[in-house]
Amino acid sequence: MSYKDIADKLATDRNLSDEEFLEVICAPFGEIDELLAERAREVREKYYGKDVYLRGLVEFSNICRNNCYYCGIRRDNKNFDRYRLTKEQILSCADTGYELGFRTIVLQGGEDRHFTAEIMADIISAIKEKHSDCAVTLSIGEMEREEYEIMFRAGADRYLLRHETADKEHYEKLHPAGMSFEHRMNCLKVLKEIGYQVGCGMMIGSPYQEPRHLVKDLRFLIDFKPEMVGIGPFIPHHDTRFANFEAGSVPLTLRLLSVIRLILPDVLLPATTALGTVDPKGREKGLLAGANVIMPNLSPTDVRNKYLLYDNKICTGEEAAECIRCMERRVESVGYKVAMTRGDHVKYSVK
Ligand code: SAH
């Protein structure tokens, strides 16, 4: 099959055989990327027009009980300051975000057990009480069903939990023995059962990743049907065992964004900060490859440079207001426009 035939097949069937996916992943950069991106843009515009949704990201704690080998804030890294925002600080970030027009607040952090489900529920309901038209998204790792339920009842709408890799053996090369592939996968299932809009995803070019692992990731996305998918290049952090590994490829990340748009046409797909970190125009390129979400940082500036999952992270200096203007310019530069709405998955939005 020619690349054009494969791109057409993917756009029509929203699926390919494993062999075809492998061929797509391994194809030389160029022709196939243009074909895929063109179809991906068509599909995203069918569902979301030219709108790009912004999510205000509050990185509220860099304290973590886990030891993911790739992550700069993992438990055993002692070479940086830990912080934890207070409830008041988190609410003040949410207020700032709201005033700037954000209608989704994402609360992300390490797995900091200070923030129990009850404490999170209190924060979530406080945000919801003040800003009832705002969606609240959580990204705080693995918990138990009852805990996810408590936070859902408090008003949380969405949950981001990247599966990281759909291959158990690969998962075990990226995480220490105490962490379980099955548990993480089960969390995603439970979150969906509870009623969250769920996001999963993987790093591109993580250590020991092979093309066949990415095929498995795509297969998992097709089966699981998440509302959101977060992907970005792996970027080494100097204080991890993967310090000397290479960063993931930008063109491959872009290609996978297009593929994911085609297999899950209405998915909410961010052009991630990691993509913008490895390439100054990474997020714009991401939008042109089929992404439709950007997640500017709303964290207080004095903690921004402490939430470093990887080296050279961008946007650690600006104020939230500056960020939003910068984002608007970037989005407009590629022909899209910022939509300051909740930006729910089409299945959930009351249009
Ligand atoms: N603790 C939460 C959320 C914070 S980490 C959780 O476990 O879900 C958010 C995401 O950042 C991770 O899922 C991972 O995919 C990504 N990440 C971590 N380290 C990274 C690195 N070195 N390069 C690129 N992405 C990384």
Side-chain angles (χ1 to χ4, degrees):
M1 258 200 289
S2 69
Y3 290 145
K4 182 172 176 306
D5 291 342
I6 287 204
D8 286 336
K9 180 168 180 211
L10 184 55
T12 313
D13 297 356
R14 303 173 178 184
N15 205 342
L16 292 175
S17 68
D18 284 1
E19 294 68 36
E20 288 161 343
F21 272 135
L22 203 59
E23 192 180 342
V24 167
I25 290 163
C26 298
F29 294 108
E31 186 197 344
I32 193 167
D33 298 286
E34 280 163 42
L35 292 163
L36 291 171
E38 210 174 287
R39 283 158 186 72
R41 284 195 297 271
E42 255 171 52
V43 168
R44 78 83 88 193
E45 285 174 29
K46 180 170 156 218
Y47 286 90
Y48 295 102
K50 297 274 186 190
D51 289 355
V52 173
Y53 301 128
L54 297 196
R55 320 296 197 194
L57 181 64
V58 183
E59 298 156 336
F60 66 93
S61 171
N62 69 356
I63 297 171
C64 193
R65 64 169 173 158
N66 280 336
N67 237 336
C68 308
Y69 294 148
Y70 43 84
C71 183
I73 66 167
R74 63 185 222 293
R75 184 185 67 227
D76 288 349
N77 185 7
K78 308 285 184 223
N79 299 331
F80 70 105
D81 285 346
R82 301 279 175 174
Y83 73 89
R84 174 186 281 155
L85 300 186
T86 62
K87 176 183 173 186
E88 289 64 39
Q89 284 175 306
I90 297 172
L91 295 182
S92 139
C93 290
D95 290 345
T96 308
Y98 193 86
E99 279 156 33
L100 288 168
F102 287 99
R103 291 298 176 265
T104 294
I105 302 294
V106 183
L107 302 179
Q108 188 179 85
E111 292 199 12
D112 178 351
R113 294 299 101 173
H114 162 81
F115 290 98
T116 58
E118 288 77 14
I119 293 183
M120 289 309 298
D122 178 51
I123 296 169
I124 296 158
S125 41
I127 297 176
K128 284 287 192 169
E129 230 160 80
K130 264 183 121 171
H131 310 299
S132 59
D133 55 338
C134 220
V136 172
T137 304
L138 301 175
S139 175
I140 51 176
E142 295 173 45
M143 295 174 119
E144 299 310 309
R145 181 188 290 267
E146 300 69 45
E147 302 175 292
Y148 287 145
E149 278 171 350
I150 290 171
M151 299 186 295
F152 187 72
R153 281 199 298 271
D157 304 272
R158 312 185 186 132
Y159 205 105
L160 305 175
L161 184 76
R162 290 189 178 178
H163 65 285
E164 311 297 359
T165 169
D167 182 272
K168 181 173 157 68
E169 268 172 49
H170 184 221
Y171 185 90
E172 289 170 357
K173 289 185 177 156
L174 300 176
H175 302 91
M179 293 183 70
S180 142
F181 172 72
E182 287 81 10
H183 190 265
R184 198 164 184 90
M185 286 303 209
N186 193 55
C187 284
L188 284 166
K189 195 171 134 256
V190 165
L191 287 162
K192 203 174 205 191
E193 284 168 7
I194 293 174
Y196 284 96
Q197 297 180 44
V198 180
C200 55
M202 63 280 183
M203 291 178 284
I204 308 304
S206 60
Y208 312 112
Q209 186 179 67
E210 295 171 29
R212 68 185 173 92
H213 297 140
L214 288 169
V215 175
K216 271 192 159 177
D217 288 321
L218 295 173
R219 195 59 66 211
F220 170 66
L221 296 181
I222 290 172
D223 294 340
F224 184 65
K225 301 183 189 64
E227 280 79 26
M228 305 167 280
V229 176
I231 68 163
F234 159 77
I235 305 174
H237 183 288
H238 61 279
D239 272 324
T240 63
R241 68 170 65 189
F242 298 144
N244 296 322
F245 278 71
E246 259 179 59
S249 144
V250 172
L252 184 58
T253 304
L254 297 171
R255 180 181 297 175
L256 283 156
L257 283 171
S258 299
V259 170
I260 293 168
R261 169 63 61 205
L262 292 172
I263 61 179
L264 299 168
D266 52 12
V267 77
L268 294 160
L269 192 60
T272 55
T273 308
L275 186 56
T277 294
V278 283
D279 179 336
K281 289 264 184 272
R283 284 170 298 180
E284 290 87 327
K285 291 177 187 173
L287 295 176
L288 290 172
N292 64 334
V293 171
I294 292 187
M295 299 169 67
N297 202 319
L298 278 182
S299 312
T301 34
D302 58 322
V303 302
R304 291 266 184 106
N305 58 0
K306 294 183 184 159
Y307 194 84
L308 299 179
L309 310 179
Y310 45 79
D311 289 338
N312 306 315
K313 187 177 169 209
I314 51 167
C315 308
T316 54
E318 294 109 88
E319 293 289 341
E322 288 173 65
C323 266
I324 201 171
R325 275 192 297 274
C326 164
M327 240 28 95
E328 272 163 358
R329 278 197 303 275
R330 286 174 185 271
V331 167
E332 280 162 21
S333 76
V334 286
Y336 290 100
K337 63 175 199 302
V338 164
M340 289 309 241
T341 60
R342 272 175 59 114
D344 280 294
H345 185 265
V346 283
K347 191 168 77 195
Y348 291 80
S349 57
V350 272
K351 271 184 184 163

